[in-house]
Structures are given as structure tokens and as C-alpha cells.
Amino acid sequence: MTSLHDIIVIGGGPAGCAVALSFLKSHPNGSIIVLSDADPERFKIGESLPPEAARLLGYFDASLPAALSAHLPCAGTASAWTNASLEEHDAIMNPFGHGWHLDRAHFDEKLRAAASGAGAKFSRARVTAVRRDNDQWIVESDVGSAVTGRWLVDASGRRAGVARLLGLRTRKLDDLLSVYALFSSTSGITDDHDTRTLIEACPLGWWYSALLPSKQRLVAFHCDASSAKGAVRTRTGFLDLLHDQTEHLARIVRGHEYDLSAADSATPAGPQTTAACSTQLEGWQTQLYFVPVGDAALSFDPLSSQGMMTALEMGCILGTELAANVKQLDGFSDERVIVQRVTERYAQVWARFEKSRRYYYSVQSRFEGEFWASRRV
């Protein structure tokens, strides 16, 4: 007979690991299992970590801040947003210091290793079904027997895979897409040392770029879904748009003889497309002993640079709340208290994001089309 875990977490990214680490920090004898089908060798977009994250990582595990030395320090931001000139914000002016451009696969693996070292059990598995029976959650996967637990946490990212299995749906605020590609020096050697985050607006949307620890440069174009159809998803179309509609980013690409990286086991071939819209999971409070976290609960326009930090923070809060709950006599105290607290926290985070989003799009007058006009509302 399978043992009953206190917590089942679906998803082994930053949000899921933060739940496990904070839960075990508050309840070292607790039982938590993380099911994840993440491929540690596959490139994953989402490489920016703000400087204030170091303190939170240190709370999780004292070794994690030092492990950031394997990544690339971010020197600040350079943004051509309201006009064609770059506005620079140096990291030296930030009281928390500099942020990082991550090797995301390596970063996530370190988080999983820290959570495992703290006592979390991990299983490489793809969830196929979830159901609640006899006051417990039963999770079936493509590996081994079913897993049972008191609480179920969906940390599966934007896809909100567990929530969808439960019949829940996300509400999209917009149709923003990100078309991204990795660039490498054609000579194999680059003297590109610009470790700032670069943002550049153009009539059809906005561009983002960051130098990665691999010395590849990530370039991403954010636009309405209707604008991402056709040529921009092709190698030639992506490069043509980059050179036609950007000034500063095109200069970096030309100056360092960058071209789209050749595909290998860890690098995608040509431009890739991923959702970048802002979403909220609706109706999750109707499920007993169930909480979404990270992008499964709330996902943000990448312009906010809010996703990674919010995932870690909310994972930390949720893990601490769950620890307090399961430490109650028999582990079944009123779950409505946690649900209410988490709901209020999510509402606060979303309100801050909405305020910031409205401001940054309202000051940008260079965009063209109805999609961008609607974002200024």
C-alpha cells in the first residue's frame, strides 16, 4: 500500500521547488513528493533572475546563492522604449546589487538538488490523471503506482496541466506571443561582453535580448498572436524583422557576427514560439486541498520581469502555510484558511502587475495596431 504524503507537487521548476524547500524548512519531518517531467537537457526560456532573489535562495538553502556564480551577472538594463534612445539603469544603483542571466536548466537542477537534499522525494513522471477520494488526492502517472497525498499543488507552469485535468481553465488577458531564438558567433568566438538586459520597442511589438552563460545571445520578439503568423516564425523572416525594426539590437547582432545557433540536443532549431500572455487560473478555490502556484496560478507579460521572482516568493509563502496546516493534530485543519490567504496574496500580486503594465504601455506611443492600443487601457 502506498504511503500518504502530506503534499504532492506537480512540477519541478522554481515554483514547485520553492514550495518543497519552504515546506521542509518549516516542517523538516514532513512528507512531500515532487512529480516532474522536465527535461534537464532542454533549453528553457526564462533566464532573468532579479538581484533580490539571492536572499530568498539563501533562506531556502545556504549553498544556493554561491551557486549563482555559475551564471552570468546582469549589469543592468538598457531600454529604448518611449523613443529610439537607450535609457540605462546600472545594477550598481540597485541596493540588492546585480541580477543574473541564468543557464536555466542548470539553475533548475540546483533547486531540485537542494529540495532533494532537504528531504523532498522526486519522481520523473508525467501525470495522466488526478482524483480526490476518501479525503486524499490520488495522482496517476506514466511511471509506477499511484501517489497519494493530503494536499495537491499545481506547479506545472503556464499549461496548468493539473488544473486542466480537474476541468479548470485560465483566463487570458491578451494574446501576447514570444518568438525567440538563440544566436551564436559565426566564428565560434565572441567578444560580446554586454551583460545588460536590452529592451527595444518597434511598431509591431518589442524585442528583448540577453547574453547567456553559454555566450549565446537570446533574442525574443513579443507581439500579438496575429502578427506572429507566417514569416516571423521562419529563420529568414525573423532575421529580416530584427534588422528592419531594431537599431540597437541589430547593431549588436551585426557587430559580433551573430547568426541563429545550429540545433543540437539542448538548443532549439530556428525561431521558437511560446505564449507570453498574462493569465489567471479561475475557480481553483472550489477544489478541496488544492492550490496552484507560479505560472499555473498567475502568469505575467515578460515586460514585467515578474515571473521568476513571483514564482519563488509565492512558492515560499505557500510552503510555509502548508507546513503550518499539516503540523496540526491529524494534519487536517481547515484548509479554507490557507485558500483565503493565498487568494488574497495572489490578488495583491495581480493588482501590482496590472498597475505597472498599464503604465508602461500607456507611455509607449510607437506601437501600431488595435492590439497595442487595447493594452493602454
Side-chain angles (χ1 to χ4, degrees):
M1 185 176 180
T2 58
S3 59
L4 180 67
H5 297 282
D6 294 319
I7 316 291
I8 303 173
V9 178
I10 312 301
C17 288
V19 171
L21 285 161
S22 60
F23 174 76
L24 293 168
K25 190 84 173 178
S26 297
H27 187 25
N29 296 322
S31 172
I32 185 167
I33 184 169
V34 181
L35 279 63
S36 173
D37 61 356
D39 181 355
E41 299 300 322
R42 184 179 181 182
F43 175 79
K44 184 177 182 181
I45 196 169
E47 68 299 319
S48 292
L49 188 70
E52 55 268 32
R55 293 198 305 174
L56 185 55
L57 292 174
Y59 168 75
F60 291 149
D61 185 305
S63 69
L64 285 175
L68 290 172
S69 63
H71 305 278
L72 193 64
C74 173
T77 61
S79 174
W81 188 253
T82 56
N83 56 62
S85 301
L86 282 178
E87 181 178 343
E88 301 189 45
H89 297 275
D90 293 332
I92 195 171
M93 302 302 292
N94 191 313
F96 294 101
H98 63 76
W100 293 267
H101 291 157
L102 303 173
D103 175 335
R104 180 61 187 277
H106 177 74
F107 177 75
D108 285 6
E109 278 292 282
K110 282 290 186 182
L111 285 178
R112 287 189 282 267
S116 178
K121 181 180 179 181
F122 278 78
S123 176
R124 180 77 180 274
R126 181 178 63 84
V127 174
T128 56
V130 295
R131 67 183 188 277
R132 187 159 180 84
D133 186 40
N134 293 327
D135 294 328
Q136 64 186 22
W137 284 101
I138 301 173
V139 177
E140 298 178 2
S141 71
D142 59 351
V143 178
S145 58
V147 176
T148 60
R150 293 167 173 163
W151 279 92
L152 179 63
V153 175
D154 186 353
S156 60
R158 281 180 177 268
R159 61 181 176 174
V162 177
R164 291 184 182 277
L165 288 174
L166 294 171
L168 302 176
R169 292 292 179 265
T170 56
R171 180 178 69 88
K172 292 202 307 180
L173 191 66
D174 53 64
D175 287 319
L176 191 69
L177 284 181
S178 175
V179 184
Y180 67 93
L182 289 175
F183 283 68
S184 299
S185 170
T186 54
S187 65
I189 301 174
T190 179
D191 59 351
D192 185 359
H193 301 295
D194 188 346
T195 62
R196 299 173 300 174
T197 295
L198 176 64
I199 297 173
E200 186 169 358
C202 69
L204 294 179
W206 57 275
W207 294 80
Y208 164 91
S209 184
L211 188 64
L212 302 182
S214 63
K215 297 303 180 183
Q216 294 172 298
R217 181 167 279 277
L218 173 69
V219 176
F221 175 55
H222 299 83
C223 60
D224 177 23
S226 62
S227 301
K229 296 177 180 178
V232 71
R233 300 190 186 215
T234 69
R235 175 190 180 91
T236 300
F238 187 82
L239 290 172
D240 286 347
L241 192 65
L242 167 65
H243 290 291
D244 288 346
Q245 295 224 340
T246 72
E247 174 186 347
H248 306 285
L249 183 51
R251 184 184 303 123
I252 290 175
V253 171
R254 287 193 302 266
H256 296 287
E257 299 181 335
Y258 277 120
D259 197 2
L260 290 180
S261 300
D264 56 35
S265 60
T267 303
Q272 305 293 304
T273 302
T274 187
C277 52
S278 308
T279 66
Q280 290 178 301
L281 183 64
E282 297 184 321
W284 62 268
Q285 297 90 342
T286 62
Q287 302 291 323
L288 292 174
Y289 293 89
F290 169 79
V291 184
V293 71
D295 284 350
L298 306 171
S299 60
F300 306 98
D301 183 324
L303 186 64
S304 69
S305 298
Q306 195 169 342
M308 180 84 78
M309 191 65 201
T310 301
L312 291 170
E313 288 179 336
M314 296 313 299
C316 180
I317 292 169
L318 179 57
T320 303
E321 292 279 5
L322 292 175
N325 178 270
V326 302
K327 283 193 293 186
Q328 299 290 330
L329 185 63
D330 82 359
F332 282 93
S333 63
D334 191 348
E335 56 93 27
R336 290 174 296 180
V337 174
I338 288 183
V339 169
Q340 182 62 32
R341 287 176 180 170
V342 172
T343 298
E344 291 172 356
R345 290 276 192 165
Y346 286 178
Q348 293 168 3
V349 170
W350 188 262
R352 289 198 301 269
F353 160 69
E354 277 274 67
K355 182 179 179 180
S356 176
R357 169 185 175 274
R358 284 194 298 268
Y359 169 75
Y360 281 107
Y361 282 110
S362 68
V363 299
Q364 171 53 271
S365 60
R366 293 187 292 159
F367 291 144
E368 297 176 352
E370 295 181 3
F371 173 75
W372 297 107
S374 68
R375 297 173 74 76
R376 301 189 186 105
V377 176

